Amino acid sequence: MDFNLTEEHLAVQEAARDFAEKELLQDAIERDILSKFPEKQVKMMGELGFLGMMASEKYGGGGMDTISYVLAMEEIAKVDASAAVIMSVNNSLVLWGLEHYGSEEQKQKYIPALASGEKLGCFCLSEPEAGSDATSQRTTAIDKGDHYLVNGTKNWITNGGSADIALVIAQTDAEKGHRGINCLIIEKGTEGFVVGKKEDKMGIRSSDTHSLMFSDVKVPKENRIGDDGMGFKFAMSTLNGGRIGIAAQALGIASGAYERAVQYSRERKAFGKSISQHQAIQFKLADMRTRIEAARFLIYKAALDKDEGRSYVESAAMAKVYASEVAMWVTTQAVQVHGGYGYVKEYHVERMMRDAKITEIYEGTSEIQRLVIAREILK
C-alpha cells in the first residue's frame, strides 16, 4: 500500500488549486446570488483539460487516471461546488459513458469537442416520477425503423441549459421493463427539443439545472448508444463512476469549509485569546479533520478500484454516502465555528453548507447508496 501521490498527481492537484483560487473564488459569491453560470471559467476549464481528464488522448482527452480526476475535483469544489458539478457531469456521466459504450463513429464525432470544452454535455435520467426508481421511465423512444421518435420530460438536469449534447434515457419497449430502455444522443437545436425553466435552487446555484422537454423529436438510429435495450445498464454503470466524482465534490466542499474554519478560529478572539485555543473549538476541528480524512481514503479506494479494473460498485457507493454526509456535517460545524459571521455570505461557509446538501441527493440518494451497499454485501 502506497499512500503517496505521484509527481503527476501533485501537479494536477496544484494546477486545479491555482485555477480555483485565481479564477473561481473572486466572483463565487456573486454568481451564487445571481444564479449565474460560470461561462468564462468553464471555457477555461476546457482549455486546461479539466473537462475531459479521463477521456483517451486518442480522442483529445487527458488520458488521466481516476485519482487525478478526484484530486482536481476536490480542489475546485473547495472553492466553487457549482463549477465542480459541471465538470463532474461532463467527465463522469457524459464522456465516460460515450467512450466505454459508444460506437467508434460516436466517439470520433462527440468526444473531442466535449473534452476540449468546445461543447458541453448533460445526462438525462431523472423524471417527475422517475428519480430513485430509474426503471419507471415515462420518456418514450418509439422505434420507427431508421429513427426513434422521442417524447417526454426530464427533470433536474445539470448543465441542462448550457449543454450542446444530451444523453437521454428513454423507454422503447415497456413490456420488457428495464430491458426495453435505450440511451440516445440528442443534440441541442434538434426540432422538438425544448429547454424548460431554470430551477431556483438552495445550493450549487451557479450551475444551471433545467427541465428538458422532448416533443416528437426525431433521433437517428446511429445516435443510440450500444445495443437495443441496454440503456438501463448504461445508466447504472455510468452512475457508478459518477458517484466517485460526486464523492470528490463533497470532499472538496468539506475540506474548503474546514480550512476556512481553521483560519477563522485563529483570527477570532474571545475571552482574551483566539477561539482556536478553546477546547470546545479544538474538538470540533479535530472531528472535522478526522471525518474528512476518512472520506478521502474511501474515495481514493474507489478510484483505485476503478483504475485497476476491480468492481467499484460497493466502494463508490460507500465513498459517496459517507463523503456527502461528512460534507453536510462539516459545513454545519464550520458555520458554528464562525458564529454569526458564518451566517452571512461574505465568509463563504453558509454557501458551502447549502451546496453540501445536494451531494446527499443527486446521482443516487444516501438511501439508495445504502441499498446498493447492502445488495453487494448480501449477493
Side-chain angles (χ1 to χ4, degrees), residues 65-344:
D65 60 13
T66 312
I67 292 287
S68 297
Y69 169 58
V70 162
L71 291 169
M73 276 289 297
E74 179 186 355
E75 293 302 323
I76 288 172
K78 277 184 183 181
V79 173
D80 186 356
S82 294
V85 75
I86 294 165
M87 171 181 163
S88 177
V89 167
N90 205 68
N91 274 284
S92 298
L93 300 187
V94 178
L95 279 170
W96 189 89
L98 274 171
E99 182 159 355
H100 284 78
Y101 291 100
S103 66
E104 185 61 29
E105 291 75 18
Q106 290 168 348
K107 295 174 189 178
Q108 295 282 358
K109 183 176 180 180
Y110 295 110
I111 293 179
L114 288 165
S116 68
E118 178 187 342
K119 293 185 177 180
L120 195 63
C122 66
F123 182 81
C124 306
L125 175 64
S126 294
E127 297 183 0
E129 296 182 30
S132 294
D133 182 9
T135 60
S136 299
Q137 294 294 308
R138 300 291 180 88
T139 298
T140 58
I142 305 304
D143 192 334
K144 294 293 184 179
D146 64 343
H147 69 276
Y148 292 99
L149 202 61
V150 179
N151 285 278
T153 299
K154 294 294 181 178
N155 279 22
W156 323 116
I157 306 303
T158 302
N159 299 345
S162 304
D164 306 279
I165 296 162
L167 304 189
V168 180
I169 309 298
Q171 186 82 53
T172 296
D173 189 341
E175 292 185 0
K176 292 182 179 179
H178 71 275
R179 293 183 177 84
I181 292 172
N182 282 306
C183 180
L184 306 175
I185 304 168
I186 306 181
E187 298 182 32
K188 179 183 281 186
T190 304
E191 186 177 355
F193 179 3
V194 176
V195 177
K197 73 178 181 71
K198 184 176 183 178
E199 301 293 349
D200 188 7
K201 308 189 298 290
M202 176 174 76
I204 57 165
R205 290 174 56 80
S206 187
S207 71
D208 66 324
T209 305
H210 290 256
S211 294
L212 301 181
M213 283 84 78
F214 305 91
S215 180
D216 287 339
V217 176
K218 188 176 179 180
V219 182
K221 277 283 180 70
E222 57 263 30
N223 279 30
R224 185 187 72 208
I225 296 178
D227 296 331
D228 184 27
M230 72 160 287
F232 184 75
K233 177 183 176 182
F234 168 87
M236 295 301 101
S237 178
T238 302
L239 283 172
N240 284 333
R243 287 165 182 158
I244 298 175
I246 298 304
Q249 181 199 22
L251 175 65
I253 296 169
S255 297
Y258 161 76
E259 289 175 6
R260 289 185 177 278
V262 171
Q263 180 182 352
Y264 181 82
S265 74
R266 287 172 171 159
E267 297 169 353
R268 175 68 169 169
K269 298 287 194 299
F271 304 104
K273 56 185 177 182
S274 68
I275 63 170
S276 64
Q277 295 179 44
H278 293 286
Q279 192 176 70
I281 300 300
Q282 291 176 351
F283 281 8
K284 284 185 186 296
L285 297 177
D287 286 344
M288 291 161 77
R289 177 63 179 266
T290 300
R291 296 188 193 195
I292 286 169
E293 287 300 295
R296 175 172 286 115
F297 286 108
L298 276 174
I299 295 166
Y300 287 2
K301 169 63 163 59
L304 198 61
D305 283 346
K306 186 170 181 284
D307 285 338
E308 295 190 351
R310 295 188 292 269
S311 171
Y312 55 93
V313 174
E314 183 179 49
S315 57
M318 286 180 171
K320 202 268 189 185
V321 69
Y322 188 74
S324 63
E325 293 180 356
V326 165
M328 196 69 246
W329 186 84
V330 166
T331 53
T332 304
Q333 295 304 309
V335 169
Q336 191 72 17
V337 169
H338 281 74
Y341 290 102
Y343 211 67
V344 297

